[in-house]
């Protein structure tokens, strides 16, 4: 291997774990797209960079800081890492320091993607020395973070999410230590004994963030650089706050590395939810209640990176408002490796969903079997954030859709007996104790936290499936509190097949920096309804009224319209896709194609080119 490295890091970097979330998709797409660009010859450099993907390693149940998620890192699909030169020496240095790094590689053409997964749950038992005192590696990390930046781990780890904070700090340390040994392969940095300016890290609210951002400038300048002989180029791109201490630590150590910190949201923005838009309009930088101060202390460290990017304009404005950080927008994208829609596959996936619903409803309710072709499946899929993801709006829109469907049947515009079922795919974590006929039958015993709340919201609106069987309802909602996969104990479909089989997606988010799932639906040629608040909607022309011919993505204005107007528009938009699905398959296929082409137009090539130019100073073939 050579001496030119691009490292893409994040809490979800590496092999996909059993968790829903978009960060893994983003990092995976960026790495693969960068490799493809290198393969295409678009990059004109003497030495092609090595692409390294850095993230955490969860080797067994209980290794995850979040016991509810219980993620497991599966390295089985990777080949053994072929390593030599500086990379080999760096990994050996970490091993000698007691840190475990699990490695693997994947081939993209002639380009290798190297995966480095850092184990952090054992930092509390690894012995080391800091300022001539023996202690655990975890305590050294905390002490050093306080000296460098003023991160008060004694305070932060005592909070309810203290384990999460500590994990992120350890992960960032491991990544930065790997980078340090890659750039300067010496046992120590001369940092032992270097102190900051004594700030205690007491809070990080607006106006106090500068204490963290500017902490230890004198200490940074005091670092001896006599051994700082850098590689030709080492670059680090960190996604989300879980790894932002890495570029901050490297800056304090004076390590010559080019860094990017990408914000996919802000914690104060998430806490404010739909009110964040009003806060931006009013220049109101006061944080809403519920912002985790320890994680915000990590998020503000984005300011130490050479470049800060945000996935959408609203997130960029939030970073400026709440943290005083200036950034630029580099949108997310989607990887689509085909130019054609597989219509036969979509029909097979649709039939699987329809047969599943017909069979499960018949078995569980022991009534008359409903013809599978009568079912029209639609869906939403998200993290389990009830307000931010707009679940009240969605369920209320299904009530409005019930009236629209019934009127369409009465007026002869739709065949009698049609049943619209909306899958609500969201979960606190993976489950293994699912009841028979899941998810048509859900026992309350398997539900936790917000899952219980959503199920209660469904039942309060009488949107559960029992109304379909009794003939009282034409629209129902089914909670799917499980990570969709081929062996999930329910549909047993991959998430791509699930999306491909549904008639439409509906994403009524009140707060969503981008909405990657909207693009993912488009990749499967499934049209969707999205809220204006989503960053994704910036790429879709907003129409003032709902009329036929809108295209494969309909944007509902949930910013300036009243709640009930927005709810009605979600229902009208969904009914538009449903009506064409039932009555005019030719037109429906055109809508599917438009959704696909929109997603195709928002590929990962341009964002990846932009990231690479920012981090390396090298332009990839032409304008960005």
């Amino acid at each position: 291997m050579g001496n030119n490295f691009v490292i893409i890091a994040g809490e979800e970097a590496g092999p996909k774990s059993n968790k829903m979330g978009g960060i893994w998709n983003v990092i995976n797409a960026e790495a693969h797209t960068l490799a493809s660009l290198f393969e295409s010859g678009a990059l004109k450099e003497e030495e092609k960079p090595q692409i390294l993907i850095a993230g955490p390693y969860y080797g067994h149940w209980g290794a995850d800081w979040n016991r509810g998620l219980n993620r497991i890192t599966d390295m089985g699909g990777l080949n053994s890492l072929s390593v030599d030169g500086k990379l080999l020496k760096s990994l050996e240095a970490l091993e000698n320091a007691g840190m475990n790094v699990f490695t693997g590689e994947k081939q993209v053409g002639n380009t290798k993607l190297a995966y480095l997964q850092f184990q952090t749950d054992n930092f509390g038992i690894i012995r080391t020395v800091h300022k001539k005192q023996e202690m655990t590696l975890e305590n050294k990390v905390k002490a050093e973070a306080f000296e460098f930046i003023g991160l008060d781990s004694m305070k932060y780890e005592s909070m309810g999410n203290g384990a999460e904070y500590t994990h992120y700090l350890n992960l960032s340390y491991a990544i930065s230590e790997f980078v340090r040994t890659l750039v300067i392969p010496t046992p120590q940095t001369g940092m032992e004994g270097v102190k900051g300016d004594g700030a205690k890290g007491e809070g990080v609210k607006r106006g106090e963030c500068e204490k963290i951002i500017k902490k230890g400038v004198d200490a940074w300048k005091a670092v001896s650089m006599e051994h700082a002989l850098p590689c030709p180029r080492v670059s680090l791109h960190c996604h989300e706050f879980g790894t932002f201490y890495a570029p901050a630590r490297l800056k304090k150590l004076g390590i010559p590395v080019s860094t990017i910190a990408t914000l996919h949201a802000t914690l104060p923005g998430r806490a404010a939810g739909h009110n964040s838009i009003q806060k931006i309009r009013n220049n109101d930088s006061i944080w809403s209640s519920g912002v985790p101060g320890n994680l915000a202390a990590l998020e503000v460290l984005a300011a130490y990176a050479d470049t800060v990017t945000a996935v959408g304009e609203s997130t960029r404005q939030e970073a400026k408002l709440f943290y005083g950080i200036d950034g630029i927008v580099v949108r997310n994208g989607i990887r689509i490796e085909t130019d054609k829609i597989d219509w036969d596959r979509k029909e097979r996936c649709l039939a699987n969903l329809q047969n599943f619903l017909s069979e499960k409803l018949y078995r569980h309710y022991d009534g008359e079997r409903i013809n599978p072709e009568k079912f029209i499946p639609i869906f939403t899929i998200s993290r389990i954030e009830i307000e931010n993801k707009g679940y009240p709006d969605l369920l209320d829109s299904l009530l409005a859709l019930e009236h629209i469907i019934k009127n369409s049947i009465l007026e002869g515009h739709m065949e009698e007996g049609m049943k619209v079922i909306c899958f609500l795919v969201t979960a606190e974590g993976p489950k293994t104790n699912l009841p028979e006929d899941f998810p048509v039958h859900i026992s309350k015993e398997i539900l936790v936290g917000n899952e219980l709340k959503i199920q209660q919201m469904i039942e309060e609106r009488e949107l559960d499936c029992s109304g379909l069987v009794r003939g009282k309802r034409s629209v129902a909602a089914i909670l799917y509190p499980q990570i969709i996969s081929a062996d999930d104990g329910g549909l047993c479909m991959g998430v791509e097949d699930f999306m491909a089989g549904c008639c439409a997606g509906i994403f009524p988010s009140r707060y969503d920096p981008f909405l990657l799932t909207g693009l993912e639906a488009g990749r499967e040629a499934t049209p969707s309804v999205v809220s204006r608040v989503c960053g994704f909607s910036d790429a879709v022309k907003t129409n003032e009224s709902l009329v036929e011919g809108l295209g494969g993505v309909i944007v509902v204005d949930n910013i300036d319209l009243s709640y009930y107007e927005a709810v009605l528009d979600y229902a009208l938009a969904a009914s538009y896709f449903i009506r064409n699905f039932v009555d005019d398959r030719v037109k429906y296929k055109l809508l599917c194609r438009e959704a696909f082409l929109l997603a195709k137009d928002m590929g990962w090539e341009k964002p990846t080119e932009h990231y690479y130019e920012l981090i390396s100073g090298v332009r990839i073939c032409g304008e960005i």
Side-chain angles (χ1 to χ4, degrees):
M1 287 190 171
N3 297 326
N4 194 347
F5 300 92
V6 174
I7 304 159
I8 307 172
E11 163 65 3
E12 289 295 330
K16 191 172 186 179
S17 62
N18 51 328
K19 171 185 178 291
M20 287 192 294
I23 301 300
W24 180 86
N25 294 325
V26 168
I27 293 173
N28 183 61
E30 181 186 349
H32 279 78
T33 304
L34 188 58
S36 297
L37 288 169
F38 293 164
E39 284 298 299
S40 70
L43 179 66
K44 306 299 181 183
E45 286 194 280
E46 292 183 4
E47 182 183 358
K48 185 166 61 176
Q50 305 292 315
I51 303 173
L52 311 179
I53 302 170
Y57 180 79
Y58 304 112
H60 56 83
W61 295 106
D64 191 350
W65 57 266
N66 188 323
R67 298 297 186 262
L69 294 178
N70 262 330
R71 287 168 288 187
I72 301 293
T73 304
D74 182 7
M75 309 283 285
L78 302 177
N79 299 319
S80 298
L81 179 64
S82 54
V83 59
D84 56 21
K86 286 184 177 293
L87 181 56
L88 176 61
K89 291 180 180 179
S90 180
L91 293 174
E92 288 176 343
L94 295 184
E95 183 180 354
N96 292 335
M99 285 186 278
N100 296 328
V101 187
F102 295 82
T103 63
E105 71 178 28
K106 182 185 294 184
Q107 202 78 16
V108 179
N110 295 317
T111 300
K112 292 178 181 178
L113 300 181
Y115 292 84
L116 310 177
Q117 309 304 124
F118 297 89
Q119 182 180 359
T120 64
D121 64 319
N122 63 345
F123 275 27
I125 59 175
I126 298 173
R127 305 303 296 181
T128 188
V129 174
H130 179 62
K131 301 198 321 190
K132 299 182 180 180
Q133 292 186 359
E134 184 178 345
M135 61 182 66
T136 66
L137 179 57
E138 186 169 288
N139 284 336
K140 175 188 175 180
V141 172
K142 294 173 184 176
E144 195 184 73
F146 181 77
E147 294 160 7
F148 284 177
I149 300 171
L151 292 176
D152 188 351
S153 293
M154 291 186 66
K155 170 186 174 182
Y156 291 153
E157 68 183 357
S158 66
M159 296 179 177
N161 60 344
E164 182 178 6
Y165 163 83
T166 301
H167 164 72
Y168 293 152
L169 197 67
N170 289 339
L171 175 62
S172 292
Y173 173 88
I175 293 170
S176 65
E177 190 63 5
F178 165 71
V179 174
R180 183 192 69 77
T181 58
L182 196 62
V183 176
I184 307 175
T186 55
Q188 298 293 331
T189 65
M191 199 59 225
E192 305 294 332
V194 175
K195 297 182 178 180
D197 61 12
K200 300 299 183 182
E202 296 292 339
V204 291
K205 295 228 172 184
R206 185 73 171 94
E208 298 181 10
C209 295
E210 290 79 2
K211 296 179 182 179
I212 289 178
I213 297 172
K214 297 177 181 178
K215 175 71 179 174
V217 172
D218 292 337
W220 171 26
K221 293 179 179 178
V223 176
S224 171
M225 293 300 294
E226 59 180 302
H227 298 296
L229 301 176
C231 299
R233 181 160 63 248
V234 177
S235 306
L236 175 64
H237 185 185
C238 292
H239 287 270
E240 280 286 62
F241 62 85
T243 53
F244 285 175
Y245 177 59
R249 181 173 183 265
L250 291 168
K251 182 64 68 77
K252 294 305 182 185
L253 290 171
I255 306 299
V257 176
S258 177
T259 57
I260 293 177
T262 293
L263 292 159
H264 292 257
T266 68
L267 291 164
R270 285 197 187 280
H274 63 283
N275 292 323
S276 63
I277 295 175
Q278 200 61 41
K279 282 182 170 291
I280 292 171
R281 288 178 173 179
N282 296 338
N283 196 31
D284 176 10
S285 61
I286 298 174
W287 294 4
S288 303
S289 61
V291 179
N294 48 6
L295 303 187
L298 297 177
E299 190 165 72
V300 74
L301 299 183
Y304 281 101
D306 297 319
T307 305
V308 178
T309 70
V311 298
E313 177 59 24
S314 62
T315 300
R316 187 195 70 79
Q317 293 183 38
E318 287 172 20
K320 177 66 174 177
L321 177 69
F322 296 122
Y323 295 137
I325 297 176
D326 286 316
I328 61 174
V329 174
V330 180
R331 65 161 174 82
N332 281 333
I334 191 78
R335 289 180 66 221
I336 301 179
E337 299 176 352
T338 180
D339 292 323
K340 297 181 179 180
I341 300 171
D342 189 340
W343 296 109
D344 289 339
R345 169 175 168 263
K346 283 183 70 66
E347 288 295 331
R348 288 195 305 272
C349 293
L350 169 63
N352 285 343
L353 288 171
Q354 290 175 323
N355 290 329
F356 176 90
L357 290 168
S358 178
E359 177 65 22
K360 293 295 183 182
L361 284 169
Y362 175 70
R363 283 182 51 180
H364 183 64
Y365 289 102
D366 194 27
E368 183 179 352
R369 187 188 295 271
I370 301 174
N371 183 344
E373 294 183 0
K374 296 287 188 180
F375 288 105
I376 306 171
I378 62 177
F379 79 98
T380 194
I381 184 169
S382 73
R383 289 185 304 275
I384 193 157
E385 299 176 6
I386 292 178
E387 297 298 326
N388 283 353
K389 293 300 182 180
Y391 279 96
D393 314 52
L394 172 58
L395 293 174
D396 286 343
S397 73
L398 293 180
L399 291 177
L401 181 61
E402 168 74 27
H403 293 287
I404 295 172
I405 297 296
K406 280 189 174 181
N407 286 334
S408 295
I409 293 173
L410 289 173
E411 294 170 3
H413 300 306
M414 187 176 293
E415 186 179 345
E416 190 171 352
M418 301 303 294
K419 311 290 184 183
V420 177
I421 291 189
C422 184
F423 288 96
L424 280 57
V425 184
T426 187
E428 296 280 5
K431 294 177 176 60
T432 57
N433 57 334
L434 299 176
E436 189 177 13
D437 296 330
F438 174 85
V440 169
H441 173 226
I442 294 183
S443 59
K444 296 293 180 65
E445 289 76 15
I446 72 168
L447 302 180
V448 295
N450 284 326
E451 295 170 351
L452 277 166
K453 292 181 181 178
I454 293 177
Q455 182 61 27
Q456 183 178 356
M457 291 164 64
I458 292 172
E459 293 173 1
E460 286 175 347
R461 291 167 174 80
E462 298 182 352
L463 283 168
D464 53 289
C465 288
S466 61
L468 294 179
V469 177
R470 299 185 187 118
K472 293 182 178 180
R473 291 277 187 181
S474 299
V475 177
I478 293 180
L479 175 63
Y480 203 92
Q482 175 67 308
I483 311 298
I484 286 188
S485 70
D487 57 356
D488 65 5
L491 288 167
C492 293
M493 301 173 69
V495 66
E496 295 85 0
D497 287 343
F498 168 72
M499 288 184 174
C502 285
C503 166
I506 180 167
F507 309 104
S509 296
R510 298 177 182 179
Y511 175 85
D512 211 317
F514 187 77
L515 185 68
L516 195 58
T517 46
L519 277 181
E520 290 169 341
R523 179 179 59 193
E524 306 306 327
T526 298
S528 60
V529 185
V530 305
S531 63
R532 182 183 158 198
V533 87
C534 300
F536 172 41
S537 71
D538 292 341
V540 182
K541 182 179 180 181
T542 303
N543 290 269
E544 294 182 358
S545 60
L546 292 173
V547 295
E548 293 190 354
L550 282 175
V553 177
I554 296 177
V555 178
V556 172
D557 183 359
N558 66 335
I559 296 177
D560 293 322
L561 292 180
S562 71
Y563 175 81
Y564 292 106
E565 287 175 316
V567 162
L568 180 58
D569 277 2
Y570 288 129
L572 288 169
S575 70
Y576 173 71
F577 292 133
I578 290 168
R579 188 170 67 253
N580 283 291
F581 174 82
V582 172
D583 291 340
D584 192 344
R585 281 299 180 94
V586 173
K587 185 173 181 179
Y588 176 74
K589 282 191 172 184
L590 290 175
L591 296 173
C592 292
R593 187 179 298 279
E594 289 180 13
F596 176 78
L597 292 176
L598 176 62
K600 186 80 174 173
D601 191 53
M602 294 183 66
W604 262 108
E605 288 75 15
K606 290 301 181 183
T608 301
E609 290 173 9
H610 202 167
Y611 281 136
Y612 189 71
E613 180 182 356
L614 289 170
I615 208 168
S616 69
V618 176
R619 183 177 291 272
I620 298 183
C621 276
E623 292 292 312
I624 291 177

